[in-house]
Each structure stands twice: as structure tokens, then as C-alpha cells.
Amino acid sequence: MEFKDYYQILGVPRDATADDIKKAFRKLARRYHPDVSKEADAEARMKELNEANAVLSDPEKRAAYDQLGRGYQPGQEFRPPPDWDAGFEFSGRGFSPGEAADFSDFFAELFGGMGSRPGFGGAPRGRFEARGEDHHAKVLLDIEDAFTGATRQISLRAPRSDAQGRLTLVERTLNVKIPQGVHAGQVIRLAGQGGPGVGGAAAGDLLLEVQFRPHPRLRAHGRDLHLALPVAPWEAALGAVVSVELPGGSVRLRIPEGAQSGRQLRVRGKGIPAAQTGSAGDLLLDIQVVLPPANTPQARQFYERMARELAFDPRQQGRV
């Protein structure tokens, strides 16, 4: 996917004010609007202009784009990193899937999901008294928090326009209670921490979507935990009982005799703990047979003896 420089498309500097962006878009729209333009590429250019304006005229999308776009040139290969939007506080406003589809793949990759997630709708506008908008943000937690529960300080950055129309990021820190049993994709609702109400109405809520930071050993899928389990050749061949360390404590399990790399073992109820409703996940272990290195004369003798005495060809009997 190619990176798009929206500032270059509108012909404005990166520190342009909201008014600068509005003026530049209107000027270029008069030149390239398909109804009046005689330019051969008017329709394509107008589509580019609409897309650039949709991002740069919105403080939230502009702030996200600015963070992602540092150091990239137009046309350069680009992929947004995982969880790039973690820590950004967004309002409920967003693009519907249909609106996002009108723009490029680059736009849809970054902003196609904003405002379309379940539970992230905004409040109605135009009334004298109206509840504030719900805001949402993605937060990254440690898998260990799901086992114990915790209170964590969460820092969020909310894009705002200052009095001169320049983009700024306002940061706030909240103490958030993380319930035991929380899982990736779960939403924690903080009442009254969203947008302010109008005419004395209640403020909206802040909806925190939970994701887990990468863990050196564990991967979470829903409430299930996946773990690669290294075993020695004799443990795999003869069977063994091994201990596996988890955030909630150690688990002892039996490796079946004749286990092969790639075999998966399931331990019921040893994944992410149950929340108030629902059941605990499972622990799924992918066996990986690890060979000792032949880096000493004694180790080499063991391997040479195995080669002589064991009638074994891994490429026979349908193994390849």
C-alpha cells in the first residue's frame, strides 16, 4: 500500500491551521470539480482532494495521520503498525463503511473502522439539551492483568484545535480498575468521562477497548491462551510430566508418549480466568521437540550411536 501525503495533495504545510486547510481545499475544488473543470484528470484529482480534506479538516484523524506519517514520502510502501491508535481518545464521530469505501485503500486501512465499532456511537446533536458524546480509546494491558485484576494509570491523548486553529494534543491520566478475567476486545465503560453534555445534560462515557501487549511466551485468543512448549527428545519419545509457568501459577501436565512437534495439547480451564459471567478459557500448548546440540565429543557419540542402532528414516512412512 502506498503512502499518501495529504498535505502535499492540498498544497499546505504540516503546521497549517484549520482555516488554511479550508481555503486550500476550496480553491482546488473550484479548479478540479468535474462539473466545471476542463482538466483531463479532474475526477481523480477531486477524489484525492476530498479524501485529504476529510482527514486534515478533522482534528482527530489529522492527529492520527500525523503520528503515522512521520518520515514517509508519497508513494513509499506503507503499512500501519499493530495497535497504532492505542492511547488516542476519539469521539464517537466516524465514517460509515460506505463513506470509507469512497476513498482509497490507504484511507480505509487507517480510518475505515473509526466510529463503526459496536458501542462507539455518538450522541444526537442539534438539541438544546443533549447527553455528551461517548468517546473511545484503545488501551494496551499486560496479560498478567487478566489473571489478577489491577488498577492502572492510563494516559490518553485527545486531539484538539486551539484558538488559532492549530492542532494540539491534550493529555489526561485516569486511574482505571481492570477487572479480573478481562480479555482482548472487551470494552471497559467509564461513566461520565466522555464528551460534555449540552444544556446541563449528562456527560458521555469513555469506552476503553482492551488489547494485550505482546508477551514473550503467551498469545491470547479470546479467553484461550496459546503457548509453544519446548520438550526434549526423550520427553517426547517416552512421555513425561512437566511444569508450565503461567501468570496464575504453575500447571503440571503430561506429555504423551510418542509426541511429535506440532501436536497440540489442551488443558481445560487454564486460560484467562472467568469474569463475573462466562467461563475460563483453555490453555493450548504446541509441542516443539528441541534437539540438544552436538557440540561436545560425548554428544556427538550419542548421536552417532543413535544413527547406527536406530532403524529410523524420518522421510519414510509418509512423513514427507
Side-chain angles (χ1 to χ4, degrees):
M1 184 172 62
E2 293 185 355
F3 179 78
K4 285 182 173 288
D5 189 332
Y6 291 136
Y7 291 99
Q8 184 183 83
I9 290 171
L10 289 181
V12 295
R14 300 190 73 86
D15 61 351
T17 65
D19 193 50
D20 293 336
I21 291 169
K22 183 188 296 184
K23 289 178 180 177
F25 173 71
R26 288 179 175 175
K27 179 180 178 181
L28 291 169
R30 285 194 295 269
R31 176 179 175 184
Y32 289 103
H33 197 287
D35 291 344
V36 297
S37 179
K38 297 181 181 179
E39 303 282 348
D41 60 345
E43 186 173 351
R45 287 282 285 134
M46 193 65 218
K47 187 175 181 179
E48 275 193 330
L49 293 171
N50 282 329
E51 180 175 324
N53 184 62
V55 174
L56 299 187
S57 64
D58 184 302
E60 295 182 351
K61 296 173 185 63
R62 183 180 176 185
Y65 172 78
D66 284 350
Q67 173 173 291
L68 280 169
R70 293 191 184 97
Y72 283 93
Q73 299 299 319
Q76 186 176 349
E77 182 67 20
F78 173 81
R79 288 290 174 189
D83 299 317
W84 66 266
D85 53 347
F88 269 103
E89 181 180 341
F90 296 113
S91 72
R93 297 186 299 274
F95 294 94
S96 70
E99 290 172 319
D102 291 336
F103 294 141
S104 68
D105 292 341
F106 174 79
F107 177 94
E109 182 76 16
L110 299 187
F111 306 110
M114 287 182 60
S116 63
R117 299 170 184 168
F120 288 154
R125 297 184 172 202
R127 299 182 300 175
F128 176 76
E129 182 177 323
R131 177 182 176 276
E133 286 184 316
D134 288 345
H135 287 189
H136 66 88
K138 181 188 292 185
V139 294
L140 299 179
L141 304 177
D142 295 322
I143 288 179
E144 288 80 359
D145 293 334
F147 282 80
T148 60
T151 297
R152 293 284 180 256
Q153 278 197 339
I154 304 295
S155 294
L156 301 177
R157 293 160 293 161
R160 299 286 186 269
S161 293
D162 63 17
Q164 289 73 43
R166 298 190 185 280
L167 184 66
T168 61
L169 287 175
V170 178
E171 185 168 319
R172 63 168 171 162
T173 300
L174 300 169
N175 288 320
V176 179
K177 185 176 181 180
I178 309 301
Q180 184 182 27
V182 70
H183 62 87
Q186 183 172 335
V187 173
I188 299 174
R189 181 183 292 269
L190 302 184
Q193 293 293 333
V198 177
D205 299 338
L206 175 61
L207 306 173
L208 300 177
E209 178 191 346
V210 171
Q211 295 295 334
F212 290 128
R213 295 185 181 93
H215 191 278
R217 298 186 303 119
L218 299 170
R219 293 180 293 110
H221 292 277
R223 293 195 181 280
D224 291 341
L225 287 180
H226 291 249
L227 171 65
L229 179 63
V231 299
W234 47 89
E235 292 175 327
L238 305 176
V241 175
V242 300
S243 181
V244 177
E245 293 297 325
L246 296 174
S250 62
V251 175
R252 290 181 64 79
L253 61 102
R254 181 174 296 278
I255 307 297
E257 181 179 330
Q260 298 284 345
S261 287
R263 180 170 179 177
Q264 188 174 83
L265 306 179
R266 180 184 294 267
V267 184
R268 301 284 182 184
K270 292 300 182 180
I272 292 177
Q276 293 180 349
T277 59
S279 56
D282 297 337
L283 174 64
L284 295 103
L285 303 115
D286 296 314
I287 290 179
Q288 294 180 349
V289 179
V290 181
L291 298 177
N295 55 0
T296 66
Q298 185 182 22
R300 292 190 64 85
Q301 289 175 7
F302 274 120
Y303 278 114
E304 290 167 356
R305 181 180 175 186
M306 290 173 64
R308 288 194 305 269
E309 298 185 10
L310 295 181
F312 177 71
D313 185 347
R315 290 165 294 282
Q316 296 299 320
Q317 301 176 355
R319 293 187 180 92
V320 176

